[in-house]
Amino acid sequence: MTIGHTLLGLLESGPRHGYDLKRAFDERFGHDRPLHYGQVYATMARLLKNGLVEVEGIEAGEGPDRKRYAITDAGVTDVEQWLAQPERPEPYLQSALYTKVVVALLTGRSAQDILDTQRSEHLRLMRELTRRKAGGDLPDQLICDHALFHLEADMRWLELTAARIDQLAEELTR
């Protein structure tokens, strides 16, 4: 996810201070990885430099002055272009897990142990996400579903690889 584009999208509903942008981002997208304030302000400085936002006002406070940012027409266009571009599907052809399985086989270690340990970790995370989904609102349910579907695909791969581990070991030692 592009943080700059996300912050621009949040600004389309109206001008906001950096603190408000961070809070809105964290509420919608940052459940597992909230933004740092430094990230917000560095991103806003870059967007300002690129003409995608402007400072609509400055308010004095107890601490540093608070800038209120507004999206520019160029910023709206940039968000529209970003939304129109499909995300590149990740084929995972350089999977760390696959590499571990192959290295284990090449070095005489148990690839099955690696698969079993990974299966346990996937199941643990799937249970956690299922609990989170059950107690979450619709946006949280949808992001949990996205993660769960990816984990289910990984589980299918783990099962397939376990079923073919002897064949893989044989091919690797030729």
Side-chain angles (χ1 to χ4, degrees), residues 9-72:
L10 291 171
L11 281 173
E12 282 201 51
S13 65
R16 298 180 190 219
H17 297 99
Y19 173 82
D20 297 328
L21 285 167
K22 179 200 173 348
R23 190 178 65 223
F25 182 96
D26 289 351
E27 286 173 4
R28 299 270 188 227
F29 312 106
H31 292 286
D32 297 320
R33 196 180 315 175
L35 282 180
H36 296 285
Y37 284 104
Q39 248 180 315
V40 173
Y41 293 111
T43 301
M44 296 312 294
R46 183 178 43 79
L47 295 173
L48 185 63
K49 178 182 168 195
N50 292 337
L52 302 176
V53 298
E54 60 191 8
V55 175
E56 184 184 74
I58 299 177
E59 298 171 8
E62 293 178 20
D65 291 344
R66 293 175 36 155
K67 294 178 184 172
R68 188 173 50 253
Y69 298 96
I71 192 168
T72 63

Side-chain angles (χ1 to χ4, degrees), residues 2 4 6 14-15 17 20 38 47 50-51 53 67 77 90 95 97-98 103 107 118 125 136 140-141 149 161:
T2 303
T6 306
H17 297 99
D20 297 328
L47 295 173
N50 292 337
V53 298
K67 294 178 184 172
T77 299
E90 293 293 332
S95 164
L97 182 55
Y98 171 78
V103 169
T107 60
Q118 192 64 49
L125 183 54
D140 207 35
Q141 291 171 9
F149 294 152
T161 302

Side-chain angles (χ1 to χ4, degrees), residues 77-170:
T77 299
D78 199 56
V79 171
E80 287 173 358
Q81 291 172 348
W82 174 65
L83 291 172
Q85 290 296 314
E87 289 297 311
R88 182 177 179 269
E90 293 293 332
Y92 302 108
L93 293 177
Q94 293 300 318
S95 164
L97 182 55
Y98 171 78
T99 301
K100 285 182 175 186
V101 168
V102 171
V103 169
L105 291 171
L106 291 173
T107 60
R109 292 181 173 91
S110 173
Q112 191 61 51
D113 287 350
I114 292 168
L115 294 170
D116 290 344
T117 300
Q118 192 64 49
R119 187 181 301 107
S120 294
E121 183 60 17
H122 270 61
L123 288 170
R124 182 200 62 75
L125 183 54
M126 290 172 82
R127 284 189 297 272
E128 181 182 314
L129 288 168
T130 300
R131 280 191 298 275
R132 177 176 162 181
K133 179 181 163 182
D137 58 7
L138 182 58
D140 207 35
Q141 291 171 9
L142 290 172
I143 196 67
C144 287
D145 280 339
H146 186 264
L148 284 164
F149 294 152
H150 281 271
L151 290 168
E152 287 172 6
D154 287 349
M155 290 293 286
R156 287 193 312 268
W157 181 85
L158 289 166
E159 295 302 323
L160 175 68
T161 302
R164 299 169 75 186
I165 201 73
D166 292 337
Q167 182 184 354
L168 179 61
E170 184 179 315

